[in-house]
Amino acid sequence: MSAPIPVTGAVIIRNGTVFAAQRGPGKALAGKWEFPGGKIEPGETPEVSLARELKEELLINATVGPHITTTEHTYGFGTIRLSTFRCALTGDQEPTLTEHADSRWVPIDELASLDWAPADVPAVDLIIKTYGSA
């Protein structure tokens, strides 16, 4: 069995909503929702990787904040080790999609209504529990 693939995900919270991105057609898990991010390259810290991925995928600059959780999920193509971090956009930027099919700002209490990629689900549950109104 090969080593888990280390990836990062950005939990961008703004005014009680969280930024969610939908995986594009032709990608693994197309149509599933995820926290934007990507693979950690050799020599990168998770935080540096996440800032780079956000700039590449969404054309935004973000401050990477505290670690939320790390989860593992095994898919047909391998095991993903997803580390999610609370992030904040710098300035008045809006994410611009370059790879994803869709995106939306989702109220925290409605996050569970999206069809999330399985690796993201534990973080979604934790965000609802930590930041939701319940």
Side-chain angles (χ1 to χ4, degrees), residues 18-39:
V18 177
F19 185 78
Q22 188 178 41
R23 294 183 63 82
K27 293 192 171 280
L29 307 171
K32 296 280 189 184
W33 290 86
E34 66 180 357
F35 298 113
K39 290 181 187 165

Side-chain angles (χ1 to χ4, degrees), residues 10-20 35 58 60-63 68 85-96 103-109 111 127 131-132:
V11 178
I12 306 169
I13 301 176
R14 184 175 74 185
N15 300 326
T17 62
V18 177
F19 185 78
F35 298 113
L58 299 173
I60 57 172
N61 293 307
T63 301
I68 294 175
F85 293 84
R86 175 109 188 233
C87 294
L89 300 180
T90 56
D92 289 338
Q93 309 170 80
E94 276 298 317
T96 300
S103 68
R104 60 181 72 151
W105 290 95
V106 183
I108 291 170
D109 293 331
L111 284 174
I127 292 159
Y131 301 104

